[in-house]
C-alpha cells in the first residue's frame, strides 16, 4: 500500500519509498488510471537516493505533484 495517494481527474498517483541495498532510500511514484486498465500503470523514481525515509517520501510527493500537474 502506498504511503500517500493523490488523485486528479481519473488519474491516481501513489507516492512511497523503497529501501536500497546500500541502506539509502528512494522515492517512487506509481501513476495509474482510477477506472482504467492496468496497462497504463507507470512507475517513476526520484533521481537521487536519500539518507532518510522521510526525505525520500518528501521527494516522492514532490514528484507525484509534478507528474499530476502535467496530466490532462
Amino acid at each position: 500500500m502506498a504511503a500517500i495517494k493523490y488523485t486528479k481527474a481519473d488519474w491516481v498517483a501513489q507516492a512511497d519509498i523503497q529501501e536500497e541495498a546500500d541502506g539509502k532510500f528512494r522515492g517512487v511514484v506509481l501513476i495509474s488510471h482510477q477506472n482504467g486498465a492496468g496497462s497504463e500503470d507507470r512507475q517513476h523514481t526520484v533521481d537521487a537516493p536519500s539518507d532518510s525515509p522521510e526525505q525520500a517520501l518528501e521527494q516522492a510527493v514532490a514528484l507525484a505533484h509534478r507528474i499530476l500537474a502535467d496530466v490532462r
Side-chain angles (χ1 to χ4, degrees), residues 46-70:
V46 173
D47 291 334
S50 300
D51 291 327
S52 72
E54 295 83 8
Q55 184 181 28
L57 185 58
E58 285 177 20
Q59 292 175 343
V61 166
L63 178 59
H65 284 282
R66 286 193 305 271
I67 293 168
L68 286 178
D70 291 339

Side-chain angles (χ1 to χ4, degrees), residues 31-47:
I31 302 294
S32 59
H33 275 286
Q34 197 166 20
N35 301 321
S39 63
E40 293 190 41
D41 291 359
R42 294 192 182 155
Q43 182 172 317
H44 301 266
T45 57
V46 173
D47 291 334

Side-chain angles (χ1 to χ4, degrees), residues 8-51:
K8 178 181 178 183
D10 65 339
W11 289 96
V12 177
Q14 300 177 57
D16 208 343
I17 60 170
Q18 291 179 337
E19 186 171 3
E20 298 187 333
D22 62 359
K24 301 249 183 191
F25 299 88
R26 189 174 300 269
V28 294
V29 178
L30 178 66
I31 302 294
S32 59
H33 275 286
Q34 197 166 20
N35 301 321
S39 63
E40 293 190 41
D41 291 359
R42 294 192 182 155
Q43 182 172 317
H44 301 266
T45 57
V46 173
D47 291 334
S50 300
D51 291 327

